[in-house]
Amino acid sequence: MLHEILLSLSGHPSALFDVHGQTNPHVTSTPSALLSPPEAELLSSLGHLSRLHRRTRDHVARIASSHPSTVCRAVATAITSYHLEKFQRKVLTVESSILKQDASTVGAYNIVPLAGLVGEFSEWIRLMDWLWDLSKFISSPDASKKGDQRDSKAASGAELIDKLRTEAQTGYPDIEEAALHLGAVAETSWLRQLSTWLLYGRLPAFGASDFFVQDETDEDLSFSVNHKLLPKFVTRYTASSIVFVGKSLNQIRSLPANAKSMTGKSFGASEMDLLPAHVAHLSDVKAPILTAKLSEAVADIRISLSRNLLQHLLPQEKIVEILTVLHQFFLLGRGEFAMTLIAEADEKNVSRHKTPIQPKQSQGIQGILLKEGEISQTLARSFTILSTLGGQDDHTDDILDIAIELLHLSIISPSSTRPGTPGRARDPTNILPRITNVAFNDLLLSVPTSLTMDVKSPLDLFMSKSDIEVYSAINSYLLAFRRSHLHLSQLWRISTIRREYPPPPGYQYSNSPHGKTILKRRRERKNARTRELRKVWATCAAAIFFLSEGEAYLQGEVVRESFKHFLHWVENPGAGTSLESRPSSGSTFQDSASRPQSTVQHDPEALSLAHRRFLSSITYSLLLTDTAFTTALRTCFTHVDELAAYVTRLQSIQQNLDLEEDEGFEDYKHNYHQEEKDVKLELDRSRRRLDSDLKTLVERLREIDSERVGAGGVGTMRSESIPSEGEFEPLRIGGVDRLLMKLDWGGGDEEEDIEDLI
């Protein structure tokens, strides 16, 4: 029986323990039936240990051969080669002591006590139970038996590492030792995956689906972070740095021609020359991995890469150039661009509505909406006009040339008109602002359009498409402000509705009785119309005042001053102890102390983080994060267009009425008297709505001012891993109280019953 017990513990099936495996119904006697109850009770623990050994051995063998994660395969292999092998050696040790008749195992008359044999293996029962539970956590036994290669319940490498770290915090020394050993194996396997990405910029050849850096197959050189596959000891900022390093190596390896043409010179060192220094940094990280040690190694590799290669691939002059394009055209720093684009868009809308619709080619509103080609032509004509504004003696506008090459005005699909925070669902580490749902991109051309820019390599080292989407939302917002202001201001240019037109007849004619009658009738008609439109002009003046002061605050104090502050930080990297300026211990190619100060620049990752903080700051200061304000403002812009349309229509009707009354030209197709009454009624309603919108906006500004008192002024999130010294701090813009001081019309509670802003 001892031989049977030892063979069973070694992993062989045994009739002594596997009673339930008997399939012959004619066999009525089993070896276990010959045991006494005390012996059966003692052997039950050994039978349980034997079954656990076989199940664990078979299950981890399937995991090691079929699991998609290399980390899980490494742990499964370590269970077999270390822990189960150690158990096998224990069985051999007990067998050897029995054969040698060791007194610790064999008693008098060469009798081996069963209780002593059970005691030899009692310490393994708890550990084997834990190993079986761990193997079940890695992969379900049922799925493995069915041969499912893609088990939905299979654990990832990150989940296994986190579980082993948790299991190591136990009061059982044997389980703690096993958890620490397997945790070291798992983290070492994960480090090997990481080294392929950090040193060569390549995803692991096997197990890439389990690595937290994922390749977006729809685009070239586009990578994202899957935080579900990220171990907990890796901070979000460190993960962002890891992605940046690998992405930079991809850029350097795949785009050498672009880099040379952009910089005009070749690199001083290649990525392979930097490999020994980077390997030295990464070799300092050992299992169990410390968060601070990993972050330091990744930071050193990033700094070395930036100082020796990336400053040639993406020089500071190119960065300043692109930021200037973004400021002048997306943030409307070049006012002529906004004026020209709005004028071209209005002209395109008017010409489109005047064009007769062909019933065979289009039906309904689809024949009126602008097409993609017409929208692109609108931007192209705007650029053409801008290029002709400068004189022939002026130097070539390089910024405009870059904008013509990179900027596009395109139609947004209806499903993507919501301007919420781009990329927020995929990447929780983004510090991009939470823009409200309110869309302003359908005001310029009556269809949702967006001004976008091609983010080409190597610009995507510090800028992403999510940043451009935020710029597009800000651009639509500022363009809507400028457009409403222009449309209201152009009402004053309609001479026939603000002045007596045509002018009174000459002296000789007006001195006659008939001329006096005509002059009196015209004056009475003009005075009546002037009195009727006084409220309209008062509302328009109040709206223009609100829009002009609001635009001056948003464009002048927020956008311009914030950009100047950010550009100053970009052009003047601090020589202090910031993260990107501290010396790298392993870099052997360019010593920061021997290089001239003019070549020092921010590394692209620090620049990317600062750029996103800049975006978050100006979006917060532009009030784009306040849903109530943007909703009221969007309604106000709609009512401004409505009011301007009614005033223009009223001018046309009154001009036809004057021709009918004064000259006798009568149009029998239109009842202009009835149309005038209808338009005046709708104009008054529109005026009242705009009045209400202005009061709502001012009231909401007061609420925002009270809510933001003491809130810090900048709505940005800070990264816990970046030292505060040397990093970019957004400019603290004055609160909306500066705008409210200009918008205070002397109202108050005593004027709540007054209906109009006159």
Side-chain angles (χ1 to χ4, degrees), residues 120-152:
E120 291 286 344
F121 295 98
S122 60
E123 61 182 6
W124 279 93
I125 296 177
R126 180 174 58 244
L127 180 59
M128 199 65 72
D129 273 324
W130 182 80
L131 290 175
W132 171 243
D133 292 338
L134 183 66
S135 64
K136 289 193 300 182
F137 174 81
I138 297 175
S139 178
S140 173
D142 298 333
S144 299
K145 291 177 180 178
K146 294 178 182 178
D148 295 340
Q149 297 295 328
R150 298 184 180 274
D151 180 17
S152 59

Short mmCIF file of all heavy atoms in Angstrom, two decimals, residues 120-152:
data_model
loop_
_atom_site.label_atom_id
_atom_site.label_comp_id
_atom_site.label_asym_id
_atom_site.label_seq_id
_atom_site.Cartn_x
_atom_site.Cartn_y
_atom_site.Cartn_z
N GLU A 120 4.16 13.85 6.87
CA GLU A 120 5.22 14.32 5.97
C GLU A 120 4.68 15.23 4.87
O GLU A 120 5.38 16.12 4.39
CB GLU A 120 5.93 13.12 5.33
CG GLU A 120 6.78 12.30 6.28
CD GLU A 120 8.05 13.01 6.66
OE1 GLU A 120 8.43 13.97 5.96
OE2 GLU A 120 8.69 12.62 7.66
N PHE A 121 3.42 15.00 4.45
CA PHE A 121 2.85 15.76 3.33
C PHE A 121 1.76 16.75 3.75
O PHE A 121 1.13 17.37 2.90
CB PHE A 121 2.27 14.79 2.29
CG PHE A 121 3.29 13.92 1.62
CD1 PHE A 121 3.51 12.62 2.08
CD2 PHE A 121 4.05 14.40 0.57
CE1 PHE A 121 4.46 11.82 1.48
CE2 PHE A 121 5.00 13.59 -0.04
CZ PHE A 121 5.21 12.29 0.43
N SER A 122 1.54 16.86 5.05
CA SER A 122 0.45 17.74 5.49
C SER A 122 0.71 19.21 5.13
O SER A 122 -0.22 19.96 4.84
CB SER A 122 0.24 17.59 7.01
OG SER A 122 1.44 17.95 7.70
N GLU A 123 1.98 19.61 5.15
CA GLU A 123 2.29 21.01 4.85
C GLU A 123 2.08 21.36 3.37
O GLU A 123 2.01 22.53 3.00
CB GLU A 123 3.73 21.32 5.23
CG GLU A 123 4.74 20.49 4.48
CD GLU A 123 6.17 20.75 4.89
OE1 GLU A 123 6.37 21.52 5.85
OE2 GLU A 123 7.08 20.22 4.24
N TRP A 124 1.97 20.33 2.52
CA TRP A 124 1.79 20.58 1.09
C TRP A 124 0.33 20.74 0.69
O TRP A 124 0.05 21.18 -0.44
CB TRP A 124 2.41 19.43 0.28
CG TRP A 124 3.89 19.56 0.13
CD1 TRP A 124 4.85 19.02 0.95
CD2 TRP A 124 4.58 20.29 -0.88
NE1 TRP A 124 6.10 19.36 0.52
CE2 TRP A 124 5.96 20.16 -0.62
CE3 TRP A 124 4.17 21.06 -1.96
CZ2 TRP A 124 6.94 20.74 -1.40
CZ3 TRP A 124 5.14 21.64 -2.75
CH2 TRP A 124 6.50 21.49 -2.48
N ILE A 125 -0.59 20.37 1.54
CA ILE A 125 -2.01 20.40 1.15
C ILE A 125 -2.45 21.85 0.92
O ILE A 125 -3.10 22.18 -0.09
CB ILE A 125 -2.87 19.72 2.23
CG1 ILE A 125 -2.50 18.24 2.32
CG2 ILE A 125 -4.36 19.89 1.91
CD1 ILE A 125 -3.24 17.49 3.41
N ARG A 126 -2.11 22.75 1.86
CA ARG A 126 -2.51 24.15 1.72
C ARG A 126 -1.87 24.79 0.50
O ARG A 126 -2.52 25.51 -0.26
CB ARG A 126 -2.13 24.92 2.98
CG ARG A 126 -2.51 26.39 2.92
CD ARG A 126 -2.25 27.10 4.24
NE ARG A 126 -0.87 27.00 4.64
CZ ARG A 126 -0.45 26.35 5.74
NH1 ARG A 126 -1.34 25.75 6.53
NH2 ARG A 126 0.83 26.30 6.05
N LEU A 127 -0.59 24.52 0.25
CA LEU A 127 0.10 25.10 -0.90
C LEU A 127 -0.47 24.56 -2.21
O LEU A 127 -0.64 25.32 -3.18
CB LEU A 127 1.60 24.81 -0.80
CG LEU A 127 2.47 25.36 -1.94
CD1 LEU A 127 2.33 26.88 -2.03
CD2 LEU A 127 3.93 24.97 -1.74
N MET A 128 -0.76 23.24 -2.25
CA MET A 128 -1.30 22.68 -3.48
C MET A 128 -2.70 23.22 -3.76
O MET A 128 -3.06 23.44 -4.93
CB MET A 128 -1.31 21.16 -3.40
CG MET A 128 -1.40 20.45 -4.74
SD MET A 128 0.05 20.73 -5.79
CE MET A 128 1.27 19.74 -4.94
N ASP A 129 -3.48 23.42 -2.71
CA ASP A 129 -4.80 24.06 -2.89
C ASP A 129 -4.64 25.46 -3.49
O ASP A 129 -5.40 25.86 -4.38
CB ASP A 129 -5.53 24.15 -1.55
CG ASP A 129 -6.32 22.88 -1.24
OD1 ASP A 129 -6.88 22.30 -2.19
OD2 ASP A 129 -6.37 22.50 -0.07
N TRP A 130 -3.66 26.19 -2.99
CA TRP A 130 -3.44 27.56 -3.49
C TRP A 130 -2.98 27.55 -4.95
O TRP A 130 -3.41 28.37 -5.75
CB TRP A 130 -2.40 28.25 -2.61
CG TRP A 130 -2.14 29.67 -3.00
CD1 TRP A 130 -2.89 30.77 -2.70
CD2 TRP A 130 -1.04 30.14 -3.81
NE1 TRP A 130 -2.33 31.90 -3.25
CE2 TRP A 130 -1.20 31.54 -3.94
CE3 TRP A 130 0.04 29.52 -4.41
CZ2 TRP A 130 -0.29 32.32 -4.65
CZ3 TRP A 130 0.95 30.30 -5.13
CH2 TRP A 130 0.77 31.68 -5.25
N LEU A 131 -2.09 26.61 -5.29
CA LEU A 131 -1.64 26.51 -6.67
C LEU A 131 -2.78 26.15 -7.61
O LEU A 131 -2.86 26.65 -8.74
CB LEU A 131 -0.52 25.48 -6.78
CG LEU A 131 0.82 25.84 -6.15
CD1 LEU A 131 1.78 24.67 -6.22
CD2 LEU A 131 1.43 27.07 -6.79
N TRP A 132 -3.69 25.28 -7.15
CA TRP A 132 -4.85 24.92 -7.99
C TRP A 132 -5.78 26.12 -8.19
O TRP A 132 -6.27 26.37 -9.28
CB TRP A 132 -5.57 23.75 -7.35
CG TRP A 132 -6.88 23.43 -7.98
CD1 TRP A 132 -8.11 23.48 -7.40
CD2 TRP A 132 -7.11 23.00 -9.33
NE1 TRP A 132 -9.09 23.12 -8.28
CE2 TRP A 132 -8.51 22.81 -9.48
CE3 TRP A 132 -6.29 22.77 -10.42
CZ2 TRP A 132 -9.09 22.42 -10.68
CZ3 TRP A 132 -6.86 22.36 -11.62
CH2 TRP A 132 -8.24 22.19 -11.74
N ASP A 133 -6.02 26.87 -7.12
CA ASP A 133 -6.86 28.07 -7.24
C ASP A 133 -6.22 29.09 -8.16
O ASP A 133 -6.90 29.77 -8.95
CB ASP A 133 -7.10 28.68 -5.86
CG ASP A 133 -7.97 27.80 -4.97
OD1 ASP A 133 -8.71 26.96 -5.52
OD2 ASP A 133 -7.89 27.94 -3.73
N LEU A 134 -4.88 29.21 -8.08
CA LEU A 134 -4.20 30.16 -8.94
C LEU A 134 -4.29 29.74 -10.41
O LEU A 134 -4.52 30.58 -11.29
CB LEU A 134 -2.73 30.29 -8.53
CG LEU A 134 -1.89 31.30 -9.31
CD1 LEU A 134 -2.40 32.71 -9.05
CD2 LEU A 134 -0.41 31.19 -8.92
N SER A 135 -4.16 28.47 -10.67
CA SER A 135 -4.27 28.00 -12.06
C SER A 135 -5.70 28.18 -12.58
O SER A 135 -5.90 28.49 -13.76
CB SER A 135 -3.85 26.54 -12.14
OG SER A 135 -4.72 25.71 -11.38
N LYS A 136 -6.69 28.00 -11.71
CA LYS A 136 -8.07 28.27 -12.13
C LYS A 136 -8.29 29.75 -12.39
O LYS A 136 -9.08 30.11 -13.26
CB LYS A 136 -9.06 27.78 -11.06
CG LYS A 136 -9.18 26.27 -10.96
CD LYS A 136 -10.39 25.86 -10.13
CE LYS A 136 -10.31 26.40 -8.72
NZ LYS A 136 -11.46 25.96 -7.90
N PHE A 137 -7.61 30.62 -11.64
CA PHE A 137 -7.72 32.06 -11.90
C PHE A 137 -7.13 32.42 -13.25
O PHE A 137 -7.67 33.26 -13.98
CB PHE A 137 -7.01 32.83 -10.79
CG PHE A 137 -6.93 34.31 -11.02
CD1 PHE A 137 -8.01 35.13 -10.75
CD2 PHE A 137 -5.77 34.89 -11.52
CE1 PHE A 137 -7.94 36.49 -10.97
CE2 PHE A 137 -5.69 36.25 -11.75
CZ PHE A 137 -6.78 37.05 -11.47
N ILE A 138 -6.03 31.79 -13.61
CA ILE A 138 -5.40 32.08 -14.90
C ILE A 138 -6.32 31.68 -16.06
O ILE A 138 -6.50 32.42 -17.02
CB ILE A 138 -4.04 31.35 -15.00
CG1 ILE A 138 -3.08 31.89 -13.93
CG2 ILE A 138 -3.44 31.54 -16.39
CD1 ILE A 138 -1.76 31.14 -13.87
N SER A 139 -6.90 30.49 -15.96
CA SER A 139 -7.78 30.01 -17.03
C SER A 139 -8.76 29.01 -16.44
O SER A 139 -8.40 28.22 -15.56
CB SER A 139 -6.96 29.36 -18.15
OG SER A 139 -7.80 28.86 -19.16
N SER A 140 -9.96 29.04 -16.93
CA SER A 140 -10.99 28.13 -16.44
C SER A 140 -10.70 26.71 -16.90
O SER A 140 -10.40 26.48 -18.08
CB SER A 140 -12.37 28.57 -16.96
OG SER A 140 -13.34 27.61 -16.63
N PRO A 141 -10.76 25.70 -16.00
CA PRO A 141 -10.50 24.32 -16.43
C PRO A 141 -11.50 23.82 -17.46
O PRO A 141 -11.15 23.03 -18.34
CB PRO A 141 -10.61 23.52 -15.11
CG PRO A 141 -10.41 24.54 -14.04
CD PRO A 141 -10.97 25.82 -14.57
N ASP A 142 -12.75 24.25 -17.37
CA ASP A 142 -13.75 23.80 -18.33
C ASP A 142 -13.42 24.29 -19.73
O ASP A 142 -13.52 23.54 -20.71
CB ASP A 142 -15.13 24.32 -17.92
CG ASP A 142 -15.55 23.78 -16.57
OD1 ASP A 142 -15.07 22.68 -16.21
OD2 ASP A 142 -16.34 24.45 -15.88
N ALA A 143 -13.00 25.55 -19.85
CA ALA A 143 -12.64 26.08 -21.16
C ALA A 143 -11.42 25.38 -21.72
O ALA A 143 -11.31 25.14 -22.92
CB ALA A 143 -12.40 27.58 -21.08
N SER A 144 -10.48 25.03 -20.87
CA SER A 144 -9.27 24.35 -21.34
C SER A 144 -9.58 22.96 -21.85
O SER A 144 -9.02 22.49 -22.83
CB SER A 144 -8.24 24.28 -20.20
OG SER A 144 -7.88 25.58 -19.78
N LYS A 145 -10.49 22.27 -21.19
CA LYS A 145 -10.84 20.92 -21.62
C LYS A 145 -11.57 20.94 -22.95
O LYS A 145 -11.45 20.03 -23.76
CB LYS A 145 -11.71 20.24 -20.56
CG LYS A 145 -10.95 19.92 -19.28
CD LYS A 145 -11.87 19.31 -18.24
CE LYS A 145 -11.11 19.01 -16.96
NZ LYS A 145 -11.99 18.45 -15.91
N LYS A 146 -12.35 22.00 -23.19
CA LYS A 146 -13.09 22.10 -24.45
C LYS A 146 -12.20 22.57 -25.60
O LYS A 146 -12.62 22.56 -26.75
CB LYS A 146 -14.26 23.07 -24.31
CG LYS A 146 -15.33 22.59 -23.35
CD LYS A 146 -16.44 23.61 -23.21
CE LYS A 146 -17.50 23.17 -22.21
NZ LYS A 146 -18.56 24.19 -22.04
N GLY A 147 -10.97 22.98 -25.28
CA GLY A 147 -10.05 23.42 -26.33
C GLY A 147 -10.30 24.83 -26.79
O GLY A 147 -9.90 25.20 -27.89
N ASP A 148 -10.95 25.65 -25.97
CA ASP A 148 -11.20 27.04 -26.37
C ASP A 148 -9.90 27.84 -26.25
O ASP A 148 -9.32 27.96 -25.16
CB ASP A 148 -12.28 27.68 -25.49
CG ASP A 148 -13.62 26.99 -25.67
OD1 ASP A 148 -13.79 26.34 -26.71
OD2 ASP A 148 -14.48 27.11 -24.77
N GLN A 149 -9.44 28.36 -27.38
CA GLN A 149 -8.21 29.14 -27.35
C GLN A 149 -8.45 30.54 -26.80
O GLN A 149 -7.56 31.15 -26.23
CB GLN A 149 -7.63 29.23 -28.77
CG GLN A 149 -7.22 27.90 -29.35
CD GLN A 149 -6.08 27.25 -28.59
OE1 GLN A 149 -5.22 27.93 -28.05
NE2 GLN A 149 -6.08 25.93 -28.53
N ARG A 150 -9.65 31.07 -26.96
CA ARG A 150 -9.97 32.42 -26.49
C ARG A 150 -11.01 32.31 -25.39
O ARG A 150 -12.21 32.35 -25.65
CB ARG A 150 -10.49 33.27 -27.66
CG ARG A 150 -9.46 33.47 -28.76
CD ARG A 150 -9.98 34.40 -29.83
NE ARG A 150 -9.02 34.60 -30.87
CZ ARG A 150 -8.06 35.52 -30.85
NH1 ARG A 150 -7.97 36.33 -29.82
NH2 ARG A 150 -7.21 35.64 -31.84
N ASP A 151 -10.55 32.12 -24.19
CA ASP A 151 -11.45 32.01 -23.04
C ASP A 151 -11.76 33.42 -22.54
O ASP A 151 -10.85 34.19 -22.21
CB ASP A 151 -10.78 31.18 -21.95
CG ASP A 151 -11.67 31.02 -20.73
OD1 ASP A 151 -12.88 31.27 -20.86
OD2 ASP A 151 -11.15 30.65 -19.66
N SER A 152 -13.04 33.75 -22.47
CA SER A 152 -13.42 35.08 -22.01
C SER A 152 -13.09 35.29 -20.54
O SER A 152 -12.94 36.43 -20.09
CB SER A 152 -14.93 35.29 -22.23
OG SER A 152 -15.67 34.30 -21.52
#
